[in-house]
Amino acid sequence: MKKVYLLFTCQLLSVGVIAQSDGASDSLLTYQASALQFRQATQGVTMLQHYASGNVGIVTLQGTAASGGYRLAQEPQQHREAAFKSEGIKTVERFKLYGQFTYSRTWDDSLAWMLSGVAADNRPYYFAAGKAGKYDRQSYQMKGLASYALHPGKWYTGAGIDYLYQTAFRSVDPRPSVRQFALTIRPEITWKNDRHWLGVQPMIGYGYENTSVQYKNTQYQHNFDSYPERRTWLMMGMGYMQPRSGQGEQMNIRIRKGGLTLFHQYHQGGWELSTQAGWERQRSFFSRPPESSLKETRWGTYTLDRYQLALLAQQGQRHSLQFRAVLLNGEDFNSYSAPPLVQALNATNYHYQQQQVTVHYSHLSSRKVAWVPGWGASLVWQHEKKQDFITAHQLNYSMVTPSLSGELHRNKGGDRFHTRLTGGVQLPLSASVHVLPTQMTAFSREVVYYDYYYYHTTAASLDWQASYITRKVFSTLPAGVTLRVRYLQALGDISSPEPSIPVPGTNNIWSSLAFHLYL
């Protein structure tokens, strides 16, 4: 009953924001440049107030499916998702509001070494087992943003709030049950001077996650020599792991977040320039449930810092240039102990680092023809390093992914048609793995080495999308459908010199079908 009430309340909030819009949502969200502007407007008060359209709304029902062996080890072989999403912007006198609500149901199959249920690639502490299984997840997400013109044309203020509630269950022993909650608040103050908009947005958030593990079949719980893949492990890095009994095992995670983001918006000569720079720190405390309200057995703490710089330069729909740089730096403090065999380390065991730089340019022709062409190009560079000091495990890679795209737009009789085709190549620049032979485990072979072969492989991708929007279905509202298919193919043979080390498959296909109402 609590979930039904939450779902109903969140849906009312988002639909209330997007009601009575100006009917231009179908055109604003069809083109790449305007879609980027809309997505940027949802980030804070500064961008929302500067956004030209006062009323925009869209309701989406979407189904997604993915399948294939060319994937990372802790990703599912098969993935299906059904989602409902509503979001929009509305202006009411001095107020400008944004609301978004998303409910999704996910079904994953053949997912191993991840009993947390909620994917967290860089997190060191979680339960895991080698046995692959099926997962069922539900997610409720709500985002709200309210801004107010204190002094129109000069000062603006407001705040945003993000809410998340997720559950995950598995139907194969060992069976985790995961519940996750997160709440983030982002107040902001904005100053406008002529062509410049400046905003400051502090952020504070908290959350929790609880994972419990149960066995339905007792032979799996007490006979790990015959069924080693059924054993529950407490992972504490990228190789450091300790066995757990399994039945009734629990992990509590408390999360605290804080950060600061700066916004700048400038327009001159038909060009719009947006800048966003921010820092965010998340601290996660991992422990088993406390024996009392005053005593907590903490296993470790993980601190993740995130730095981001984003630039967007646009000239109407014709030119759009986007630059984004992200740096992640994570480090744990391990205090796990199981006397007398395992003494507390009380030091850092796991280090994580990732850098990613993305550059994207798109151009839409200004010619007045039946089929309006456009093209785009992008380049993504990524580097990632994971290191486990106790077990001397290290995985390090860097890659670059260039891509080119072409698109066509057609507007006729109030109907809109759009199609885009993108081709890219994932090129590994370097990849290395280091595992001491004395520290080799099933996790080392099935996860660490598996991921190394994935990052070491060159792959080609093809992404096709087509959208059709018409006013003939509903007399007052445009309705649309979007089909998207993405195919990834490894180039060359993927093989391992060791028969006991599995390798990724050669392809992966992802597809999505979505129905939209533009309000």
PDB file of all heavy atoms in Angstrom, residues 143-175:
ATOM      1  N   LYS A 143      12.182  13.629  -9.434  1.00  0.00           N
ATOM      2  CA  LYS A 143      13.037  14.813  -9.412  1.00  0.00           C
ATOM      3  C   LYS A 143      12.157  16.035  -9.534  1.00  0.00           C
ATOM      4  O   LYS A 143      11.291  16.108 -10.414  1.00  0.00           O
ATOM      5  CB  LYS A 143      14.050  14.763 -10.556  1.00  0.00           C
ATOM      6  CG  LYS A 143      15.013  15.948 -10.571  1.00  0.00           C
ATOM      7  CD  LYS A 143      16.075  15.786 -11.649  1.00  0.00           C
ATOM      8  CE  LYS A 143      17.048  16.954 -11.620  1.00  0.00           C
ATOM      9  NZ  LYS A 143      18.132  16.805 -12.623  1.00  0.00           N
ATOM     10  N   GLY A 144      12.385  17.006  -8.670  1.00  0.00           N
ATOM     11  CA  GLY A 144      11.624  18.247  -8.713  1.00  0.00           C
ATOM     12  C   GLY A 144      12.550  19.447  -8.618  1.00  0.00           C
ATOM     13  O   GLY A 144      13.596  19.390  -7.974  1.00  0.00           O
ATOM     14  N   LEU A 145      12.175  20.538  -9.282  1.00  0.00           N
ATOM     15  CA  LEU A 145      12.965  21.765  -9.273  1.00  0.00           C
ATOM     16  C   LEU A 145      12.013  22.949  -9.316  1.00  0.00           C
ATOM     17  O   LEU A 145      11.160  23.041 -10.208  1.00  0.00           O
ATOM     18  CB  LEU A 145      13.916  21.783 -10.473  1.00  0.00           C
ATOM     19  CG  LEU A 145      14.835  22.984 -10.643  1.00  0.00           C
ATOM     20  CD1 LEU A 145      15.778  23.108  -9.453  1.00  0.00           C
ATOM     21  CD2 LEU A 145      15.646  22.847 -11.932  1.00  0.00           C
ATOM     22  N   ALA A 146      12.144  23.837  -8.353  1.00  0.00           N
ATOM     23  CA  ALA A 146      11.298  25.028  -8.285  1.00  0.00           C
ATOM     24  C   ALA A 146      12.183  26.262  -8.200  1.00  0.00           C
ATOM     25  O   ALA A 146      13.084  26.336  -7.361  1.00  0.00           O
ATOM     26  CB  ALA A 146      10.374  24.962  -7.075  1.00  0.00           C
ATOM     27  N   SER A 147      11.941  27.219  -9.083  1.00  0.00           N
ATOM     28  CA  SER A 147      12.701  28.474  -9.065  1.00  0.00           C
ATOM     29  C   SER A 147      11.736  29.646  -8.956  1.00  0.00           C
ATOM     30  O   SER A 147      10.602  29.591  -9.434  1.00  0.00           O
ATOM     31  CB  SER A 147      13.553  28.601 -10.327  1.00  0.00           C
ATOM     32  OG  SER A 147      12.728  28.694 -11.477  1.00  0.00           O
ATOM     33  N   TYR A 148      12.215  30.717  -8.347  1.00  0.00           N
ATOM     34  CA  TYR A 148      11.376  31.894  -8.095  1.00  0.00           C
ATOM     35  C   TYR A 148      12.176  33.150  -8.416  1.00  0.00           C
ATOM     36  O   TYR A 148      13.353  33.277  -8.054  1.00  0.00           O
ATOM     37  CB  TYR A 148      10.919  31.923  -6.637  1.00  0.00           C
ATOM     38  CG  TYR A 148      10.105  33.128  -6.276  1.00  0.00           C
ATOM     39  CD1 TYR A 148       8.774  33.235  -6.689  1.00  0.00           C
ATOM     40  CD2 TYR A 148      10.641  34.167  -5.521  1.00  0.00           C
ATOM     41  CE1 TYR A 148       8.008  34.345  -6.358  1.00  0.00           C
ATOM     42  CE2 TYR A 148       9.883  35.281  -5.182  1.00  0.00           C
ATOM     43  CZ  TYR A 148       8.563  35.367  -5.615  1.00  0.00           C
ATOM     44  OH  TYR A 148       7.810  36.470  -5.288  1.00  0.00           O
ATOM     45  N   ALA A 149      11.540  34.091  -9.121  1.00  0.00           N
ATOM     46  CA  ALA A 149      12.185  35.362  -9.479  1.00  0.00           C
ATOM     47  C   ALA A 149      12.058  36.340  -8.317  1.00  0.00           C
ATOM     48  O   ALA A 149      11.014  36.975  -8.135  1.00  0.00           O
ATOM     49  CB  ALA A 149      11.541  35.933 -10.730  1.00  0.00           C
ATOM     50  N   LEU A 150      13.111  36.435  -7.507  1.00  0.00           N
ATOM     51  CA  LEU A 150      13.107  37.380  -6.391  1.00  0.00           C
ATOM     52  C   LEU A 150      13.037  38.817  -6.894  1.00  0.00           C
ATOM     53  O   LEU A 150      12.254  39.628  -6.409  1.00  0.00           O
ATOM     54  CB  LEU A 150      14.373  37.198  -5.551  1.00  0.00           C
ATOM     55  CG  LEU A 150      14.460  35.970  -4.649  1.00  0.00           C
ATOM     56  CD1 LEU A 150      15.846  35.884  -4.035  1.00  0.00           C
ATOM     57  CD2 LEU A 150      13.402  36.042  -3.554  1.00  0.00           C
ATOM     58  N   HIS A 151      13.888  39.100  -7.872  1.00  0.00           N
ATOM     59  CA  HIS A 151      13.933  40.409  -8.519  1.00  0.00           C
ATOM     60  C   HIS A 151      14.028  40.132 -10.011  1.00  0.00           C
ATOM     61  O   HIS A 151      15.123  39.923 -10.525  1.00  0.00           O
ATOM     62  CB  HIS A 151      15.129  41.216  -8.018  1.00  0.00           C
ATOM     63  CG  HIS A 151      15.144  42.626  -8.506  1.00  0.00           C
ATOM     64  ND1 HIS A 151      15.332  42.970  -9.832  1.00  0.00           N
ATOM     65  CD2 HIS A 151      14.986  43.814  -7.829  1.00  0.00           C
ATOM     66  CE1 HIS A 151      15.316  44.278  -9.968  1.00  0.00           C
ATOM     67  NE2 HIS A 151      15.095  44.824  -8.764  1.00  0.00           N
ATOM     68  N   PRO A 152      12.897  40.087 -10.727  1.00  0.00           N
ATOM     69  CA  PRO A 152      12.910  39.688 -12.139  1.00  0.00           C
ATOM     70  C   PRO A 152      13.968  40.444 -12.937  1.00  0.00           C
ATOM     71  O   PRO A 152      14.081  41.668 -12.860  1.00  0.00           O
ATOM     72  CB  PRO A 152      11.498  40.028 -12.603  1.00  0.00           C
ATOM     73  CG  PRO A 152      10.658  39.931 -11.369  1.00  0.00           C
ATOM     74  CD  PRO A 152      11.545  40.421 -10.259  1.00  0.00           C
ATOM     75  N   GLY A 153      14.746  39.668 -13.697  1.00  0.00           N
ATOM     76  CA  GLY A 153      15.814  40.250 -14.481  1.00  0.00           C
ATOM     77  C   GLY A 153      17.103  40.441 -13.725  1.00  0.00           C
ATOM     78  O   GLY A 153      18.108  40.877 -14.300  1.00  0.00           O
ATOM     79  N   LYS A 154      17.110  40.078 -12.403  1.00  0.00           N
ATOM     80  CA  LYS A 154      18.329  40.284 -11.617  1.00  0.00           C
ATOM     81  C   LYS A 154      18.634  39.085 -10.697  1.00  0.00           C
ATOM     82  O   LYS A 154      19.704  38.492 -10.790  1.00  0.00           O
ATOM     83  CB  LYS A 154      18.201  41.565 -10.798  1.00  0.00           C
ATOM     84  CG  LYS A 154      19.446  41.925  -9.992  1.00  0.00           C
ATOM     85  CD  LYS A 154      20.657  42.210 -10.884  1.00  0.00           C
ATOM     86  CE  LYS A 154      20.454  43.483 -11.689  1.00  0.00           C
ATOM     87  NZ  LYS A 154      21.691  43.865 -12.425  1.00  0.00           N
ATOM     88  N   TRP A 155      17.740  38.748  -9.775  1.00  0.00           N
ATOM     89  CA  TRP A 155      18.003  37.705  -8.785  1.00  0.00           C
ATOM     90  C   TRP A 155      16.924  36.617  -8.841  1.00  0.00           C
ATOM     91  O   TRP A 155      15.728  36.916  -8.960  1.00  0.00           O
ATOM     92  CB  TRP A 155      18.043  38.284  -7.365  1.00  0.00           C
ATOM     93  CG  TRP A 155      19.248  39.117  -7.092  1.00  0.00           C
ATOM     94  CD1 TRP A 155      19.342  40.479  -7.156  1.00  0.00           C
ATOM     95  CD2 TRP A 155      20.544  38.645  -6.732  1.00  0.00           C
ATOM     96  NE1 TRP A 155      20.607  40.895  -6.862  1.00  0.00           N
ATOM     97  CE2 TRP A 155      21.379  39.782  -6.585  1.00  0.00           C
ATOM     98  CE3 TRP A 155      21.099  37.382  -6.524  1.00  0.00           C
ATOM     99  CZ2 TRP A 155      22.716  39.687  -6.234  1.00  0.00           C
ATOM    100  CZ3 TRP A 155      22.434  37.284  -6.161  1.00  0.00           C
ATOM    101  CH2 TRP A 155      23.229  38.420  -6.023  1.00  0.00           C
ATOM    102  N   TYR A 156      17.387  35.365  -8.737  1.00  0.00           N
ATOM    103  CA  TYR A 156      16.496  34.202  -8.747  1.00  0.00           C
ATOM    104  C   TYR A 156      16.983  33.214  -7.685  1.00  0.00           C
ATOM    105  O   TYR A 156      18.174  33.140  -7.382  1.00  0.00           O
ATOM    106  CB  TYR A 156      16.493  33.512 -10.114  1.00  0.00           C
ATOM    107  CG  TYR A 156      16.117  34.422 -11.254  1.00  0.00           C
ATOM    108  CD1 TYR A 156      17.081  35.205 -11.877  1.00  0.00           C
ATOM    109  CD2 TYR A 156      14.804  34.491 -11.712  1.00  0.00           C
ATOM    110  CE1 TYR A 156      16.748  36.048 -12.923  1.00  0.00           C
ATOM    111  CE2 TYR A 156      14.465  35.325 -12.753  1.00  0.00           C
ATOM    112  CZ  TYR A 156      15.434  36.106 -13.352  1.00  0.00           C
ATOM    113  OH  TYR A 156      15.096  36.940 -14.383  1.00  0.00           O
ATOM    114  N   THR A 157      16.065  32.471  -7.135  1.00  0.00           N
ATOM    115  CA  THR A 157      16.426  31.457  -6.147  1.00  0.00           C
ATOM    116  C   THR A 157      15.510  30.247  -6.304  1.00  0.00           C
ATOM    117  O   THR A 157      14.490  30.311  -7.004  1.00  0.00           O
ATOM    118  CB  THR A 157      16.334  32.012  -4.715  1.00  0.00           C
ATOM    119  OG1 THR A 157      16.879  31.057  -3.801  1.00  0.00           O
ATOM    120  CG2 THR A 157      14.877  32.290  -4.333  1.00  0.00           C
ATOM    121  N   GLY A 158      15.860  29.180  -5.650  1.00  0.00           N
ATOM    122  CA  GLY A 158      15.055  27.970  -5.739  1.00  0.00           C
ATOM    123  C   GLY A 158      15.814  26.783  -5.190  1.00  0.00           C
ATOM    124  O   GLY A 158      16.877  26.912  -4.575  1.00  0.00           O
ATOM    125  N   ALA A 159      15.250  25.603  -5.401  1.00  0.00           N
ATOM    126  CA  ALA A 159      15.864  24.376  -4.897  1.00  0.00           C
ATOM    127  C   ALA A 159      15.363  23.194  -5.703  1.00  0.00           C
ATOM    128  O   ALA A 159      14.261  23.219  -6.261  1.00  0.00           O
ATOM    129  CB  ALA A 159      15.556  24.181  -3.413  1.00  0.00           C
ATOM    130  N   GLY A 160      16.191  22.171  -5.747  1.00  0.00           N
ATOM    131  CA  GLY A 160      15.828  20.924  -6.397  1.00  0.00           C
ATOM    132  C   GLY A 160      15.895  19.779  -5.413  1.00  0.00           C
ATOM    133  O   GLY A 160      16.608  19.839  -4.397  1.00  0.00           O
ATOM    134  N   ILE A 161      15.153  18.725  -5.700  1.00  0.00           N
ATOM    135  CA  ILE A 161      15.145  17.546  -4.844  1.00  0.00           C
ATOM    136  C   ILE A 161      15.118  16.302  -5.729  1.00  0.00           C
ATOM    137  O   ILE A 161      14.402  16.248  -6.730  1.00  0.00           O
ATOM    138  CB  ILE A 161      13.934  17.560  -3.873  1.00  0.00           C
ATOM    139  CG1 ILE A 161      13.978  16.348  -2.945  1.00  0.00           C
ATOM    140  CG2 ILE A 161      12.618  17.634  -4.626  1.00  0.00           C
ATOM    141  CD1 ILE A 161      12.955  16.425  -1.814  1.00  0.00           C
ATOM    142  N   ASP A 162      15.957  15.317  -5.385  1.00  0.00           N
ATOM    143  CA  ASP A 162      16.004  14.028  -6.081  1.00  0.00           C
ATOM    144  C   ASP A 162      15.661  12.930  -5.089  1.00  0.00           C
ATOM    145  O   ASP A 162      16.222  12.886  -3.977  1.00  0.00           O
ATOM    146  CB  ASP A 162      17.390  13.761  -6.674  1.00  0.00           C
ATOM    147  CG  ASP A 162      17.816  14.836  -7.660  1.00  0.00           C
ATOM    148  OD1 ASP A 162      16.931  15.446  -8.275  1.00  0.00           O
ATOM    149  OD2 ASP A 162      19.035  15.062  -7.815  1.00  0.00           O
ATOM    150  N   TYR A 163      14.768  12.033  -5.500  1.00  0.00           N
ATOM    151  CA  TYR A 163      14.337  10.932  -4.637  1.00  0.00           C
ATOM    152  C   TYR A 163      14.489   9.627  -5.396  1.00  0.00           C
ATOM    153  O   TYR A 163      14.161   9.540  -6.588  1.00  0.00           O
ATOM    154  CB  TYR A 163      12.883  11.124  -4.209  1.00  0.00           C
ATOM    155  CG  TYR A 163      12.302   9.942  -3.460  1.00  0.00           C
ATOM    156  CD1 TYR A 163      12.432   9.833  -2.077  1.00  0.00           C
ATOM    157  CD2 TYR A 163      11.636   8.927  -4.144  1.00  0.00           C
ATOM    158  CE1 TYR A 163      11.910   8.749  -1.397  1.00  0.00           C
ATOM    159  CE2 TYR A 163      11.103   7.842  -3.469  1.00  0.00           C
ATOM    160  CZ  TYR A 163      11.247   7.757  -2.092  1.00  0.00           C
ATOM    161  OH  TYR A 163      10.730   6.681  -1.424  1.00  0.00           O
ATOM    162  N   LEU A 164      14.986   8.593  -4.715  1.00  0.00           N
ATOM    163  CA  LEU A 164      15.161   7.278  -5.334  1.00  0.00           C
ATOM    164  C   LEU A 164      14.809   6.194  -4.340  1.00  0.00           C
ATOM    165  O   LEU A 164      15.247   6.229  -3.175  1.00  0.00           O
ATOM    166  CB  LEU A 164      16.613   7.095  -5.799  1.00  0.00           C
ATOM    167  CG  LEU A 164      17.013   5.678  -6.252  1.00  0.00           C
ATOM    168  CD1 LEU A 164      16.302   5.313  -7.555  1.00  0.00           C
ATOM    169  CD2 LEU A 164      18.519   5.565  -6.420  1.00  0.00           C
ATOM    170  N   TYR A 165      14.015   5.218  -4.797  1.00  0.00           N
ATOM    171  CA  TYR A 165      13.741   4.017  -4.001  1.00  0.00           C
ATOM    172  C   TYR A 165      13.800   2.821  -4.936  1.00  0.00           C
ATOM    173  O   TYR A 165      13.120   2.802  -5.966  1.00  0.00           O
ATOM    174  CB  TYR A 165      12.378   4.088  -3.311  1.00  0.00           C
ATOM    175  CG  TYR A 165      12.083   2.862  -2.477  1.00  0.00           C
ATOM    176  CD1 TYR A 165      12.681   2.695  -1.225  1.00  0.00           C
ATOM    177  CD2 TYR A 165      11.233   1.865  -2.947  1.00  0.00           C
ATOM    178  CE1 TYR A 165      12.426   1.565  -0.460  1.00  0.00           C
ATOM    179  CE2 TYR A 165      10.970   0.731  -2.187  1.00  0.00           C
ATOM    180  CZ  TYR A 165      11.569   0.581  -0.943  1.00  0.00           C
ATOM    181  OH  TYR A 165      11.330  -0.544  -0.186  1.00  0.00           O
ATOM    182  N   GLN A 166      14.652   1.824  -4.593  1.00  0.00           N
ATOM    183  CA  GLN A 166      14.827   0.656  -5.453  1.00  0.00           C
ATOM    184  C   GLN A 166      14.767  -0.620  -4.633  1.00  0.00           C
ATOM    185  O   GLN A 166      15.164  -0.640  -3.462  1.00  0.00           O
ATOM    186  CB  GLN A 166      16.190   0.700  -6.164  1.00  0.00           C
ATOM    187  CG  GLN A 166      16.341   1.810  -7.171  1.00  0.00           C
ATOM    188  CD  GLN A 166      17.625   1.680  -7.976  1.00  0.00           C
ATOM    189  OE1 GLN A 166      17.596   1.429  -9.172  1.00  0.00           O
ATOM    190  NE2 GLN A 166      18.764   1.850  -7.316  1.00  0.00           N
ATOM    191  N   THR A 167      14.292  -1.683  -5.268  1.00  0.00           N
ATOM    192  CA  THR A 167      14.333  -3.012  -4.670  1.00  0.00           C
ATOM    193  C   THR A 167      14.883  -3.992  -5.694  1.00  0.00           C
ATOM    194  O   THR A 167      14.752  -3.786  -6.904  1.00  0.00           O
ATOM    195  CB  THR A 167      12.940  -3.490  -4.227  1.00  0.00           C
ATOM    196  OG1 THR A 167      12.080  -3.587  -5.381  1.00  0.00           O
ATOM    197  CG2 THR A 167      12.324  -2.523  -3.227  1.00  0.00           C
ATOM    198  N   ALA A 168      15.505  -5.060  -5.205  1.00  0.00           N
ATOM    199  CA  ALA A 168      16.040  -6.087  -6.097  1.00  0.00           C
ATOM    200  C   ALA A 168      15.962  -7.439  -5.395  1.00  0.00           C
ATOM    201  O   ALA A 168      16.232  -7.544  -4.188  1.00  0.00           O
ATOM    202  CB  ALA A 168      17.481  -5.770  -6.487  1.00  0.00           C
ATOM    203  N   PHE A 169      15.582  -8.453  -6.161  1.00  0.00           N
ATOM    204  CA  PHE A 169      15.480  -9.808  -5.628  1.00  0.00           C
ATOM    205  C   PHE A 169      16.054 -10.787  -6.652  1.00  0.00           C
ATOM    206  O   PHE A 169      16.055 -10.512  -7.855  1.00  0.00           O
ATOM    207  CB  PHE A 169      14.021 -10.177  -5.335  1.00  0.00           C
ATOM    208  CG  PHE A 169      13.339  -9.240  -4.390  1.00  0.00           C
ATOM    209  CD1 PHE A 169      12.616  -8.155  -4.863  1.00  0.00           C
ATOM    210  CD2 PHE A 169      13.424  -9.430  -3.020  1.00  0.00           C
ATOM    211  CE1 PHE A 169      11.991  -7.275  -4.000  1.00  0.00           C
ATOM    212  CE2 PHE A 169      12.800  -8.557  -2.148  1.00  0.00           C
ATOM    213  CZ  PHE A 169      12.078  -7.479  -2.633  1.00  0.00           C
ATOM    214  N   ARG A 170      16.525 -11.946  -6.149  1.00  0.00           N
ATOM    215  CA  ARG A 170      17.057 -12.983  -7.021  1.00  0.00           C
ATOM    216  C   ARG A 170      16.376 -14.296  -6.700  1.00  0.00           C
ATOM    217  O   ARG A 170      16.079 -14.588  -5.536  1.00  0.00           O
ATOM    218  CB  ARG A 170      18.571 -13.107  -6.839  1.00  0.00           C
ATOM    219  CG  ARG A 170      19.236 -13.996  -7.884  1.00  0.00           C
ATOM    220  CD  ARG A 170      20.753 -13.882  -7.792  1.00  0.00           C
ATOM    221  NE  ARG A 170      21.348 -15.081  -7.240  1.00  0.00           N
ATOM    222  CZ  ARG A 170      22.502 -15.596  -7.665  1.00  0.00           C
ATOM    223  NH1 ARG A 170      23.170 -15.013  -8.639  1.00  0.00           N
ATOM    224  NH2 ARG A 170      23.000 -16.677  -7.107  1.00  0.00           N
ATOM    225  N   SER A 171      16.135 -15.122  -7.737  1.00  0.00           N
ATOM    226  CA  SER A 171      15.362 -16.356  -7.577  1.00  0.00           C
ATOM    227  C   SER A 171      16.231 -17.601  -7.554  1.00  0.00           C
ATOM    228  O   SER A 171      15.714 -18.708  -7.677  1.00  0.00           O
ATOM    229  CB  SER A 171      14.336 -16.469  -8.717  1.00  0.00           C
ATOM    230  OG  SER A 171      14.983 -16.444  -9.982  1.00  0.00           O
ATOM    231  N   VAL A 172      17.547 -17.465  -7.408  1.00  0.00           N
ATOM    232  CA  VAL A 172      18.467 -18.601  -7.376  1.00  0.00           C
ATOM    233  C   VAL A 172      19.330 -18.488  -6.132  1.00  0.00           C
ATOM    234  O   VAL A 172      19.792 -17.401  -5.783  1.00  0.00           O
ATOM    235  CB  VAL A 172      19.355 -18.620  -8.646  1.00  0.00           C
ATOM    236  CG1 VAL A 172      20.397 -19.733  -8.568  1.00  0.00           C
ATOM    237  CG2 VAL A 172      18.505 -18.787  -9.891  1.00  0.00           C
ATOM    238  N   ASP A 173      19.583 -19.612  -5.444  1.00  0.00           N
ATOM    239  CA  ASP A 173      20.446 -19.610  -4.265  1.00  0.00           C
ATOM    240  C   ASP A 173      21.886 -19.283  -4.648  1.00  0.00           C
ATOM    241  O   ASP A 173      22.390 -19.819  -5.643  1.00  0.00           O
ATOM    242  CB  ASP A 173      20.423 -20.986  -3.584  1.00  0.00           C
ATOM    243  CG  ASP A 173      19.141 -21.249  -2.813  1.00  0.00           C
ATOM    244  OD1 ASP A 173      18.433 -20.276  -2.521  1.00  0.00           O
ATOM    245  OD2 ASP A 173      18.856 -22.426  -2.527  1.00  0.00           O
ATOM    246  N   PRO A 174      22.534 -18.411  -3.853  1.00  0.00           N
ATOM    247  CA  PRO A 174      22.017 -17.609  -2.736  1.00  0.00           C
ATOM    248  C   PRO A 174      21.133 -16.468  -3.222  1.00  0.00           C
ATOM    249  O   PRO A 174      21.370 -15.902  -4.284  1.00  0.00           O
ATOM    250  CB  PRO A 174      23.287 -17.084  -2.068  1.00  0.00           C
ATOM    251  CG  PRO A 174      24.305 -17.064  -3.160  1.00  0.00           C
ATOM    252  CD  PRO A 174      23.978 -18.202  -4.057  1.00  0.00           C
ATOM    253  N   ARG A 175      20.099 -16.153  -2.419  1.00  0.00           N
ATOM    254  CA  ARG A 175      19.051 -15.218  -2.829  1.00  0.00           C
ATOM    255  C   ARG A 175      19.160 -13.901  -2.059  1.00  0.00           C
ATOM    256  O   ARG A 175      18.804 -13.840  -0.882  1.00  0.00           O
ATOM    257  CB  ARG A 175      17.672 -15.827  -2.582  1.00  0.00           C
ATOM    258  CG  ARG A 175      17.477 -17.161  -3.287  1.00  0.00           C
ATOM    259  CD  ARG A 175      16.263 -17.902  -2.764  1.00  0.00           C
ATOM    260  NE  ARG A 175      16.192 -19.234  -3.326  1.00  0.00           N
ATOM    261  CZ  ARG A 175      15.380 -19.605  -4.313  1.00  0.00           C
ATOM    262  NH1 ARG A 175      14.562 -18.717  -4.837  1.00  0.00           N
ATOM    263  NH2 ARG A 175      15.389 -20.843  -4.764  1.00  0.00           N
TER     264      ARG A 175
END
